[in-house]
């Protein structure tokens, strides 16, 4: 695809990601509500690119875009200016039909994200969540516990069992492990290492672990030796005032502490195998996001910029998503800087930046 077409597609996908689509329960993998990270969305494939598009939050309910059956068969997203975009919804994965010997449905242990990513939240609770004045204001990590959709804690053996089935039955190509932050100074790294070791003993699947920076940098080596291929430590937002407002608890770990942790992690995992989420639209200026991305790229960390998507039931559920123009300006600047660097989303072993479905950044990063 020519660069101009790729960026035009990037703008179009961004438009859908910031507005969401009205979805009258079209068949296919229904996606997910609540939980950790971006949520309330489902996967749509457009022109061969799979993106996660909000369908369950308040924004999507009043979106000018609508997912429906096309007159000639298939599916389409229709919207303003007589737009009609052919889309596909990935089918429900086959492993969703299975359960463990104790009767726990596999889909309570891990979910399919995008087209070929298995993802799970190892610990569905977080030290920061019980007190909503301390929790990350966009997060819904404990919400999916309320109606029994998931388990509080997934054991390494459970994740390994589901990973093996997802590879065999659905061709899953990578595993993303995230976690709520436990009350221990490894900040989840131990859980990541134990789970990666159990998975790798059963199936050869690239793994990204995601956690807060552990106090002891020896955990990076322990995670890598256990089978973690890439690491995500998520800044989310970067300006001091925005960090305090959006991440009241997590911002106790200052930006400079994160930068130090990134350098330590890159020394173990290598340039381009460490990444961070940057949620655009929560108050950081475009200039701040671009400057932080430049600094991260210099350290060897992939800045995975995604539009903030409000999740129902969180303190930010009524916070507006960023505009398409804002996102495209940030993507264009960060994409240019990535292109001039040695970092590429597709070169990551595993992880959100490699999957890319929550962002259009990779369409702006790719070389002509
Ligand atoms: S980018 Fe990350 S959170 Fe988004 S669909 Fe892919 S693996 Fe899941």
């Amino acid at each position: 695809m020519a660069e101009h077409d790729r960026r035009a597609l990037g703008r179009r996908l961004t438009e859908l990601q910031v507005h969401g689509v009205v979805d009258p329960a079209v068949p296919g993998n229904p996606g997910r509500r609540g939980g950790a990270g971006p949520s309330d969305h489902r996967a749509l494939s457009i022109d061969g690119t799979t993106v996660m598009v909000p369908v369950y939050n308040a924004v999507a309910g009043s979106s000018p875009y609508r997912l429906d059956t096309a007159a000639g068969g298939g599916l389409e997203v229709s919207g303003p200016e007589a737009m009609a975009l052919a889309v596909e919804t990935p089918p429900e994965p086959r492993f969703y039909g299975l359960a463990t010997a104790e009767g726990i449905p596999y889909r309570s242990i891990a979910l399919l994200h995008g087209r070929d990513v298995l993802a799970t939240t190892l610990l569905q609770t977080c030290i920061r969540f019980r007190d909503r004045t301390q929790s990350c204001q966009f997060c819904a990590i404990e919400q999916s516990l309320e109606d029994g959709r998931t388990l509080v804690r997934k054991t390494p053996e459970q994740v390994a069992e589901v990973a093996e089935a997802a590879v065999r039955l659905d061709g899953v190509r990578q595993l993303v492990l995230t976690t709520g932050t436990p009350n221990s100074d490894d900040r989840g790294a131990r859980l990541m290492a134990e789970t990666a070791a159990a998975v790798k003993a059963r199936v050869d699947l690239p793994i990204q672990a995601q956690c807060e920076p552990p106090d002891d940098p020896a955990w990076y080596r322990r995670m890598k030796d256990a089978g973690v291929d890439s690491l995500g430590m998520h800044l989310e937002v970067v300006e001091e005032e925005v960090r305090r407002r959006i991440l009241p608890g997590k911002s106790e770990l200052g930006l400079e502490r994160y930068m130090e942790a990134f350098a330590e992690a890159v020394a173990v995992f290598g340039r381009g195998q460490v990444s961070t989420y940057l949620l655009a639209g929560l108050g950081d200026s475009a200039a701040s996001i671009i400057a932080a991305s430049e600094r991260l790229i210099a350290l060897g960390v992939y800045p995975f910029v995604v539009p903030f998507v409000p999740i129902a039931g969180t303190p930010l559920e009524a916070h507006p998503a960023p505009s398409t123009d804002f996102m495209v300006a940030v993507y264009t600047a960060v994409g240019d800087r990535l292109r001039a660097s040695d970092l590429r989303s597709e070169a990551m072993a595993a992880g959100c930046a490699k999957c890319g479905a929550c962002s259009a950044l990779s369409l702006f990063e790719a070389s002509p």
Side-chain angles (χ1 to χ4, degrees):
M1 197 187 293
E3 182 182 5
H4 172 267
D5 295 342
R6 224 175 18 244
R7 291 194 172 198
L9 176 62
R11 170 174 278 277
R12 187 157 267 194
L13 298 183
T14 303
E15 177 76 358
L16 297 182
Q17 287 192 314
V18 301
H19 289 292
V21 297
V22 177
D23 175 7
V26 162
N29 186 356
R32 69 185 185 124
R33 298 168 192 255
S39 190
D40 285 1
H41 54 190
R42 66 181 296 181
L44 299 180
S45 294
I46 301 166
D47 263 1
T49 300
T50 300
V51 282
M52 301 306 283
V53 175
V55 292
Y56 298 121
N57 62 3
V59 174
S62 55
S63 170
Y65 298 98
R66 185 180 170 87
L67 178 64
D68 243 327
T69 310
L75 294 172
E76 68 177 17
V77 170
S78 54
E81 296 166 27
M83 187 200 86
L85 211 54
V87 302
E88 288 172 33
T89 54
E92 261 210 8
R94 280 179 268 190
F95 79 85
Y96 278 13
L98 301 181
T100 66
E102 303 79 47
I104 301 166
Y106 278 10
R107 67 188 306 165
S108 305
I109 297 169
L111 292 174
L112 184 78
H113 281 206
R115 184 167 281 284
D116 55 13
V117 181
L118 184 69
T120 181
T121 301
L122 298 179
L123 196 62
Q124 202 81 38
T125 57
C126 180
I127 40 164
R128 311 198 186 285
F129 198 83
R130 287 298 152 87
D131 177 357
R132 260 313 202 178
T133 64
Q134 289 304 300
S135 75
C136 299
Q137 301 290 291
F138 50 79
C139 186
I141 188 163
E142 296 192 12
Q143 265 167 233
S144 39
L145 283 175
E146 284 160 14
D147 57 6
R149 268 177 286 145
T150 189
L151 308 180
V152 177
R153 168 148 190 195
K154 289 87 174 176
T155 67
E157 292 68 33
Q158 287 169 337
V159 177
E161 181 177 334
V162 176
E164 187 280 323
V167 170
R168 178 167 40 84
L169 298 175
D170 297 289
V172 154
R173 292 154 74 100
Q174 50 154 318
L175 173 62
V176 171
L177 303 176
T178 193
T179 187
T181 301
N183 192 9
S184 58
D185 53 19
D186 65 272
R187 299 188 193 250
R190 179 187 298 278
L191 268 177
M192 295 291 155
E194 289 169 357
T195 307
V199 170
K200 285 282 167 84
R202 255 185 111 143
V203 61
D204 185 18
L205 185 61
I207 298 174
Q208 185 199 39
Q210 304 182 348
C211 60
E212 290 187 31
D215 283 4
D216 181 355
W219 279 109
Y220 300 121
R221 173 54 59 192
R222 290 182 196 133
M223 283 194 276
K224 173 115 174 100
D225 289 348
V228 172
D229 301 285
S230 315
L231 184 70
M233 296 190 290
H234 301 324
L235 278 173
E236 331 282 6
V237 288
V238 294
E239 288 177 21
E240 203 41 52
E241 178 278 323
V242 185
R243 294 191 83 229
R244 276 200 303 271
R245 180 163 49 83
I246 302 294
L247 325 166
K250 197 166 101 155
S251 62
E252 286 162 10
L253 253 63
L255 191 67
E256 292 312 311
R257 170 70 191 103
Y258 266 84
M259 293 297 174
E260 196 182 282
F262 287 135
E264 292 164 347
V266 170
V268 173
F269 289 93
R271 287 184 61 82
Q273 297 301 340
V274 178
S275 60
T276 193
Y277 253 94
L278 293 175
L279 291 174
L282 287 171
D284 283 333
S285 67
S288 299
I289 297 171
I290 295 162
S293 299
E294 262 179 14
R295 204 174 159 195
L296 290 160
I297 292 168
L299 280 172
V301 176
Y302 189 100
F304 187 50
V305 182
V306 305
F308 159 71
V309 173
I311 301 175
T314 64
L316 295 182
E317 66 178 353
H319 191 289
S323 70
T324 300
D325 284 346
F326 181 84
M327 288 310 301
V328 168
V330 173
Y331 285 150
T332 303
V334 176
D336 287 347
R337 283 157 180 78
L338 282 166
R339 196 189 286 201
S341 80
D342 55 339
L343 309 188
R344 292 286 178 278
S345 52
E346 63 187 18
M348 299 202 89
C352 286
K354 185 177 184 72
C355 161
C358 288
S359 169
L361 179 58
S362 64
L363 290 160
F364 293 81
E365 161 214 316
S367 302

